[in-house]
Amino acid sequence: MSAPASPTPRRRLPSADRRQQILGGSERLFTTQGFEAVSMGDIAAHLNISRPTVYAYFTSTADILGELLDLRLTEFEERLAPLLRDLNAQPRPFATILSQLIEERPLLTLLQSGSGPAFTERRLAVFHDLETRLQNHVAPPGGRGRTPYLLTCLTLLLQATATHAITANLGPAQVAALADTLDRFVQAGLQGTAPGQT
């Protein structure tokens, strides 16, 4: 009878690589099992490393989630920045933003992976940040009109529409039609917030 195979030896990774490994493995677990269902022990087992190793880099799953969202948001902001700079020059600016948001599948999937109070608060903070960035580019001079309320609605609409496009697995033509519809809707709303409008 042959001896049982020995377990795969754990590799010693440089600190930065180990941190990235933990982040990547955690994101996979959060998005497939739900954030609240994943423990630090689950992450360690998934990566075949010890729990103390995970705790050496992060204090909790909330700590891991925060870093993941910050990383995904930074990537999104880098891609969004050129669009926001030229927002007024684009013929369909909000369709462009929606199309970009739909490309952010990892961010959106991560944002939908939890439902607890702390997670919900963190998700709202992400979209509040997006709302603030949009407001800097589309608010009328002097801040008159209903634009702040419209932008709150727009941010929620962008989130809901992009999430729907991903979960429904819409094709490129359907996404383009959806983006067009959103753009017309938003532009009509912005025209209603011009100075002198009530």
Side-chain angles (χ1 to χ4, degrees):
M1 192 163 132
S2 61
S6 59
T8 306
R10 293 178 180 157
R11 282 190 310 139
R12 205 166 205 30
L13 291 177
S15 181
D17 291 346
R18 180 68 75 193
R19 188 178 192 87
Q20 287 306 310
Q21 179 197 37
I22 293 169
L23 287 169
S26 299
E27 185 172 35
R28 284 190 294 278
L29 289 177
F30 292 162
T31 56
T32 57
Q33 298 180 18
F35 170 73
E36 285 88 2
V38 177
S39 69
M40 296 291 269
D42 294 331
I43 294 166
H46 176 69
L47 296 172
N48 192 31
I49 59 178
S50 68
R51 281 175 48 147
T53 299
V54 180
Y55 277 107
Y57 292 89
F58 300 98
T59 60
S60 64
T61 54
D63 186 23
I64 296 172
L65 174 70
E67 184 154 337
L68 280 169
L69 285 172
D70 287 342
L71 287 169
R72 292 296 184 193
L73 270 175
T74 299
E75 293 169 358
F76 179 43
E77 287 164 11
E78 287 171 358
R79 288 186 283 269
L80 190 63
L83 302 178
L84 293 179
R85 275 197 299 272
D86 302 325
L87 195 63
N88 294 326
Q90 297 180 47
R92 298 163 54 245
F94 293 100
T96 303
I97 291 173
L98 176 61
S99 297
Q100 181 63 54
L101 189 56
I102 290 171
E103 293 296 316
E104 303 298 322
R105 184 179 294 267
L107 173 60
L108 289 169
T109 305
L110 187 59
L111 284 169
Q112 298 304 315
S113 68
S115 58
F119 190 96
T120 301
E121 185 177 333
R122 188 66 174 86
R123 178 169 52 223
L124 289 174
V126 168
F127 282 95
H128 176 72
D129 183 56
L130 175 59
E131 178 183 336
T132 301
R133 290 168 185 280
L134 288 171
Q135 186 168 355
N136 291 337
H137 292 272
V138 301
R144 291 176 289 179
R146 296 187 305 269
T147 302
Y149 302 103
L150 177 65
L151 286 171
T152 300
C153 293
L154 170 63
T155 305
L156 294 172
L157 183 61
L158 282 168
Q159 175 193 5
T161 307
T163 302
H164 168 70
I166 287 173
T167 55
N169 203 23
L170 300 184
Q174 293 168 304
V175 168
L178 190 61
D180 248 357
T181 300
L182 176 66
D183 191 77
R184 287 196 303 274
F185 173 76
V186 172
Q187 293 293 358
L190 284 174
Q191 287 170 11
T193 65
Q197 298 284 329
T198 58

